[in-house]
Amino acid sequence: MTKQLSSIGVLTSGGDAPGMNAAIRAVVRTCVHYGIKPYGISEGYQGLMEGKMELLNARSVANIINQGGTFLKSARCLEFRTPEGRQQAYDVFKEKGLDALVVIGGDGSFTGAKLFAEEFGVPVIGIPGTIDNDIYGTDFTIGYDTALNTVVEAVDKLRDTATSHNRLFFIEVMGRDAGFIALNTGIGCGAEEILIPEASRGLDHLVNSLERSGRAGKTSSIIIVAEGDKSGGAFELARQVEERLPNYDSKVTVLGHIQRGGSPSCADRVLASRLGVAAVKLLREGQSGVMVGIRNGHVVSTFLSDAISQKQGIDPGLLEVADIVSL
Ligand code: ADP
């Protein structure tokens, strides 16, 4: 049976990711499609607590599908972590006449969303938006594909200078807890070694591999390091390798926040559009406390409790591929 909803709030929370705008647009237009009033809440949970929201329409989200970032703005809100903060948010939620909430963010945002749904019986649906791709329950998160393409473009440019000067380049990419970006861009860019938090193989392995590359006639190498790798980051790793291999001219580049920006890729726009539509449909079906995601090409839903507590593992087969093709 279809649940009668008169208004739905949508917010973006935590780390921003390209494609969040496309997701907001899809939520808003799906609401309009079904005759529901969509409220855009600014600055995540902080904006919810302070009542910073406005009624949107189909035209308010025109020309944003191609824009990175989030026009609703994102924020980190410490008060929402407290029962008092969430109570204040709920008071505003009721006062504004909202019936349900769509939260676009990462696992921190989903933890807040789950508590909010449980404590006040509010229907809440999560949409995974993070460049790290580290959310259980979806093969891809919104922003991940764009970030991959940004890294590949940057590393290709660094390779040009690496090969011109026989250099060893250590390139640090985002991924505090997960190596998805490092592993996939490492393969995509033809990196000689990839260091990720899930499979630290130590300094000896790296040094042996570089020596083997040298014997095989390679004169330059690209090492992709996830920021969460146990080695302590690209600078520390480069220092340790220089100690062991003093003849190498090594350089370090930390790509940093450039990975969060840029116009979303087509894949991210399509993913965001599909998940935005699905989120509103699930609310109309009376569902709550779940995240929408994509598995094997199909839209699926996962309990927020599972999305938060379970870990999305990397494919170990990709490590083997990386080793074989980097000979
Ligand atoms: P992300 O959603 O990208 O993982 P954060 O971890 O910073 O980003 O979380 C975003 C926001 O979600 C926080 O600023 C806070 O308002 C809310 N949040 C995070 N963790 C919790 C928690 N344990 N309880 C309640 N709210 C939380």
Side-chain angles (χ1 to χ4, degrees):
M1 210 184 69
T2 305
K3 193 175 161 79
Q4 288 308 315
L5 297 166
S6 82
S7 46
I8 292 177
V10 56
L11 60 81
T12 47
S13 167
D16 63 310
M20 280 183 160
N21 276 327
I24 299 165
R25 172 182 179 269
V27 169
V28 168
R29 291 196 171 168
T30 312
C31 283
V32 173
H33 175 77
Y34 288 117
I36 301 166
K37 284 187 272 180
Y39 280 85
I41 302 166
S42 302
E43 296 169 28
Y45 294 125
Q46 190 68 43
L48 178 60
M49 288 177 58
E50 294 171 8
K52 284 188 187 165
M53 59 185 79
E54 66 172 307
L55 180 60
L56 301 177
N57 59 47
R59 295 285 70 74
S60 338
V61 290
N63 299 323
I64 63 166
I65 193 168
N66 54 331
Q67 286 172 17
T70 157
F71 90 104
L72 288 177
K73 299 197 184 296
S74 189
R76 295 204 150 90
C77 174
L78 284 179
E79 285 153 290
F80 198 76
R81 290 172 181 266
T82 65
E84 298 76 25
R86 292 192 294 276
Q87 179 66 54
Q88 185 181 328
Y90 179 66
D91 292 343
V92 173
F93 183 90
K94 283 312 296 168
E95 184 194 308
K96 298 280 183 183
L98 297 179
D99 295 321
L101 187 64
V102 175
V103 173
I104 305 167
D107 56 359
S109 303
F110 292 164
T111 306
K114 174 178 167 287
L115 289 171
F116 195 60
E118 284 171 358
E119 288 169 353
F120 305 106
V122 168
V124 178
I125 302 284
I127 298 180
T130 162
I131 63 165
D132 292 335
N133 206 42
D134 57 348
I135 305 254
Y136 177 83
T138 187
D139 290 341
F140 304 108
T141 57
I142 296 167
Y144 171 59
D145 184 68
T146 306
L148 291 182
N149 289 314
T150 302
V151 171
V152 165
E153 199 183 327
V155 176
D156 284 350
K157 288 178 179 163
L158 291 168
R159 180 177 285 283
D160 290 344
T161 169
T163 43
S164 303
H165 289 276
N166 295 344
R167 276 176 177 151
L168 181 57
F169 252 100
F170 292 85
I171 302 167
E172 187 174 299
V173 300
M174 280 191 170
R176 260 198 302 262
D177 307 307
F180 290 99
I181 293 180
L183 185 52
N184 284 276
T185 59
I187 293 173
C189 295
E192 274 63 42
E193 280 294 324
I194 303 166
L195 287 94
I196 56 174
E198 294 90 337
S200 256
R201 295 190 282 186
L203 187 63
D204 286 341
H205 174 88
L206 177 59
V207 168
N208 290 340
S209 159
L210 290 171
E211 286 178 330
R212 199 177 55 237
S213 294
R215 286 194 299 274
K218 284 192 185 182
T219 55
S220 65
S221 288
I222 300 280
I223 319 293
I224 301 282
V225 188
E227 62 180 333
D229 178 67
K230 312 280 185 294
S231 59
F235 280 102
E236 175 57 20
L237 194 64
R239 194 191 61 73
Q240 291 177 13
V241 170
E242 268 175 9
E243 266 179 22
R244 300 270 296 267
L245 302 171
N247 294 333
Y248 277 77
D249 175 19
S250 52
K251 299 283 174 210
V252 179
T253 298
V254 177
L255 292 184
H257 282 78
I258 196 170
Q259 295 162 89
R260 284 196 190 279
S263 179
S265 68
C266 183
D268 272 331
R269 297 180 199 192
V270 174
L271 176 66
S273 300
R274 292 179 76 183
L275 298 187
V277 170
V280 176
K281 282 187 159 187
L282 285 185
L283 285 172
R284 275 171 46 85
E285 288 167 16
Q287 293 216 38
S288 176
V290 298
M291 178 197 83
V292 285
I294 204 97
R295 278 267 191 241
N296 301 319
H298 298 286
V299 175
V300 296
S301 60
T302 302
F303 288 117
L304 286 175
S305 50
D306 290 336
I308 296 159
S309 62
Q310 300 204 42
K311 203 168 158 50
Q312 165 97 319
I314 54 147
D315 176 358
L318 286 180
L319 277 175
E320 189 195 4
V321 169
D323 280 344
I324 292 173
V325 298
S326 65
L327 277 182

